Amino acid sequence: LSPKFADLFQALLYFTEHKLVHVKLLLILGLLCRRGSRLTLPKMSTLRNNLCLLGFILSAYAVYVEHKTNEAAHEAENDPLNSFEPFVALCDIESIGASCSSTFNLPQGKLLSYFGIVPSGHLLDVPNAALGMLYYIITVLLDQIQNKCVSLALACAGMLVTVYLAVLLTVLKEICIVCWSTHVINSILLFTSLKQFWRKTEKIKKP
């Protein structure tokens, strides 16, 4: 296997061996997506569920990459001779200047502590990607109970974070494939939430 695909395989092993909770959440999300495909708006619900599943996978991989880069940095401090093999993420593509691993480790990579909502090092001081995993799970759950208002509010909140991080990446001239992929996903989720909300409003207005 090439180093890139070996890294992807290692990521899968990491989640199955050390992050079983993530695997369980992924299975739950997959079951919810399968159930959601039977709703009254199959095309819309299937699109949203698939987007949430993809966003969840990308976010889970981002958490893995951040963990591995922090682990590599710790090993580098304890091994000045650099005898260990450096970690290279699948989304780090030198030919186009893309480096998601460096982006994940920016101070803004943990918005809760960056904005002082929780102190640094706190239990809730988690990476943005971990919050993204939670965001996609809640979005699917809200779709199951057909709560369009709360779903729209959540999509708007997610979009605010998306815009902030997108502007930050643009200013810093950082190319993060995983980041931009989730930004696109969040934008489509907002659009579909608006469309569902408008449909619900039109039905209420009808006599």
Side-chain angles (χ1 to χ4, degrees):
L1 291 176
S2 66
K4 295 290 185 180
F5 287 100
D7 169 52
L8 180 60
F9 180 71
Q10 187 180 7
L12 294 174
L13 288 179
Y14 172 80
F15 283 110
T16 54
E17 293 177 0
H18 303 287
K19 297 290 182 181
L20 290 177
V21 63
H22 291 168
V23 176
K24 292 177 181 178
L25 290 174
L26 185 58
L27 290 174
I28 293 172
L29 189 62
L31 290 173
L32 289 173
C33 291
R34 183 179 179 184
R35 181 184 174 189
S37 62
R38 301 173 183 175
L39 297 178
T40 54
L41 298 175
K43 292 184 179 179
M44 181 73 73
S45 64
T46 301
L47 172 63
R48 287 177 58 82
N49 288 325
N50 289 339
L51 287 172
C52 287
L53 183 59
L54 178 59
F56 183 92
I57 294 172
L58 290 173
S59 298
Y61 182 71
V63 172
Y64 165 78
V65 170
E66 184 169 352
H67 168 77
K68 294 297 290 184
T69 52
N70 291 335
E71 187 180 69
H74 181 70
E75 291 179 355
E77 291 179 358
N78 298 331
D79 186 5
L81 297 178
N82 294 328
S83 59
F84 63 92
E85 185 178 352
F87 171 75
V88 180
L90 187 66
C91 49
D92 289 346
I93 306 175
E94 188 177 353
S95 59
I96 61 174
S99 178
C100 61
S101 57
S102 62
T103 304
F104 297 152
N105 286 283
L106 290 172
Q108 294 86 347
K110 295 183 177 180
L111 287 178
L112 293 182
S113 60
Y114 181 77
F115 286 112
I117 300 174
V118 298
S120 180
H122 190 272
L123 180 63
L124 296 179
D125 183 22
V126 296
N128 296 341
L131 297 176
M133 293 169 67
L134 182 62
Y135 168 77
Y136 295 120
I137 290 175
I138 295 176
T139 298
V140 172
L141 290 175
L142 288 174
D143 282 353
Q144 301 308 301
I145 62 177
Q146 297 284 306
N147 196 325
K148 310 302 182 189
C149 295
V150 179
S151 180
L152 178 59
L154 181 64
C156 289
M159 196 61 197
L160 287 176
V161 177
T162 291
V163 170
Y164 171 77
L165 293 176
V167 171
L168 179 67
L169 290 175
T170 303
V171 171
L172 297 178
K173 298 181 179 179
E174 292 280 353
I175 301 177
C176 176
I177 297 175
V178 173
C179 303
W180 285 108
S181 298
T182 56
H183 295 340
V184 171
I185 290 173
N186 294 343
S187 300
I188 299 175
L189 286 176
L190 175 62
F191 174 77
T192 53
S193 292
L194 283 169
K195 193 169 183 179
Q196 287 182 335
F197 183 77
W198 287 334
R199 286 183 179 180
K200 181 180 178 180
T201 304
E202 289 175 358
K203 288 182 180 179
I204 295 176
K205 288 182 179 179
K206 287 182 179 179

